[in-house]
Amino acid sequence: MARHCPECGFVNAESANYCQKCGAFLAPGEPATEPTTATYRVDETGELVPVDVDEVVETGGAALVVRAGGGRVGESFPLERDRATIGRRPDSDVFLDDVTVSRDHALIVRRGGEYHLDDLGSLNGTYVNRTRIDSRRLEDGDELQIGKYKLTFLAR
């Protein structure tokens, strides 16, 4: 059985202790289920504010939650508008500050009540459920990989 790197998603041999692509440590005996992650957002003062993602998505909204990468596990981004930019540009709706992320990396657009993820010609690509995409309709629970970040799309 192959082991996926928690940082970059690279598929490594089962016996590997470190990722062959990025060098990240592959923890032995990874749990079969994903651990629970506390979710938060950063307010305008820089303070961490707890977020109940279930409340966000139950009201007809959607959210992205960082699951791995950049020391930001648990940070959430409610998708409250019809368009949300993702990138390394500081004014992006989902700001991911790392060289593996393009300035204008991807865009989430709500079309007819459904959310779609569009790659904006990024250098490292945009992935949904470990498949590189140009454009894809998102479903609840999809795993997005943008640079070294893994995010989960949540919608009800």
Side-chain angles (χ1 to χ4, degrees):
M1 179 174 178
R3 295 178 68 187
H4 289 87
C5 174
E7 290 297 318
C8 72
F10 185 79
V11 179
N12 294 277
E14 182 178 4
S15 60
N17 290 320
Y18 294 90
C19 178
Q20 293 174 323
K21 184 175 181 184
C22 73
F25 180 66
L26 304 173
E30 294 177 29
T33 60
E34 297 227 358
T36 303
T37 302
T39 307
Y40 66 91
R41 68 177 173 79
V42 180
D43 72 5
E44 47 285 335
T45 65
E47 295 293 316
L48 301 181
V49 178
V51 171
D52 185 349
V53 175
D54 289 332
E55 282 183 18
V56 172
V57 296
E58 282 175 7
T59 59
L64 290 177
V65 177
V66 178
R67 295 293 184 202
R72 295 174 61 184
V73 173
E75 188 170 350
S76 66
F77 300 91
L79 302 173
E80 300 168 328
R81 299 180 308 191
D82 289 337
R83 297 170 60 88
T85 57
I86 303 171
R88 193 166 33 97
R89 189 177 301 280
D91 61 349
S92 296
D93 297 310
V94 180
F95 174 52
L96 302 174
D97 190 17
D98 188 77
V99 296
T100 60
V101 178
S102 297
R103 288 183 190 277
D104 298 307
H105 198 102
L107 179 68
I108 293 181
V109 180
R110 188 173 8 194
R111 299 180 189 130
E114 297 179 328
Y115 290 88
H116 295 260
L117 177 65
D118 299 332
D119 182 80
L120 298 176
S122 65
L123 183 62
N124 291 324
T126 300
Y127 296 80
V128 175
N129 301 325
R130 297 191 174 104
T131 301
R132 190 170 182 158
I133 60 103
D134 288 322
S135 182
R136 168 108 176 245
R137 182 176 58 86
L138 295 173
E139 297 179 12
D140 182 47
D142 278 347
E143 179 186 84
L144 286 59
Q145 184 166 342
I146 298 173
K148 72 177 187 179
Y149 294 92
K150 285 190 180 178
L151 304 102
T152 300
F153 174 76
L154 300 174
R156 303 280 188 268

